[in-house]
Amino acid sequence: MDLENQKRVKEFAEQYGAENVTVILGTADGEGAGLTAETVTNGDPTFAGPLTGVQLGLTVYHVCEPEVKAEIPEDVYDDQVSMMEMVLDLDDIRDEMTAVRDDYCKYLD
């Protein structure tokens, strides 16, 4: 996650309250999704950005996870995401996202 996006996420969490912010990722691989998810939950593991040492505990999902997919109109999902979904390792992404949520998310229902 680049430094500008880290700054935006931090500002949104401060402005709206971390319990009211959910981050939706579209990263193309499990490792990248996990690293980005860890950044918005437990802080920047690279110690390079505005979220260094900041444990926001935000709720985070990947756009291809069933919880998110169910919230998007089918025609929009088909148009915007379904092609990407066919080439991704969805099991790896779900495993990474679930592990991060289990370890660091503070605001799951």
Side-chain angles (χ1 to χ4, degrees):
M1 173 176 266
D2 68 32
L3 304 181
E4 185 61 33
N5 283 335
Q6 284 191 37
K7 179 182 171 196
R8 286 184 190 135
V9 167
K10 185 176 179 187
E11 288 171 352
F12 285 139
E14 291 168 351
Q15 182 176 358
Y16 299 107
E19 69 278 7
N20 298 313
V21 175
T22 298
V23 177
I24 307 297
L25 305 177
T27 313
D29 65 281
E31 185 177 350
L35 181 62
T36 303
E38 184 177 344
T39 300
V40 301
T41 56
N42 193 46
D44 185 354
T46 66
F47 301 102
L51 294 177
T52 297
V54 179
Q55 297 177 330
L56 295 174
L58 299 178
T59 303
V60 61
Y61 288 94
H62 191 278
V63 69
C64 292
E65 288 187 276
E67 298 88 344
V68 175
K69 187 175 180 178
E71 297 297 320
I72 301 171
E74 188 175 339
D75 61 325
V76 174
Y77 192 89
D78 287 345
D79 186 50
Q80 300 295 319
V81 182
S82 64
M83 291 295 285
M84 180 177 77
E85 185 181 50
M86 289 190 277
V87 298
L88 298 177
D89 185 343
L90 298 179
D91 290 334
D92 185 40
I93 290 170
R94 277 192 289 267
D95 290 346
E96 286 284 336
M97 299 303 294
T98 299
V100 169
R101 280 193 300 271
D102 289 348
D103 289 345
Y104 304 120
C105 287
K106 297 178 186 176
Y107 306 105
L108 290 174
D109 295 334

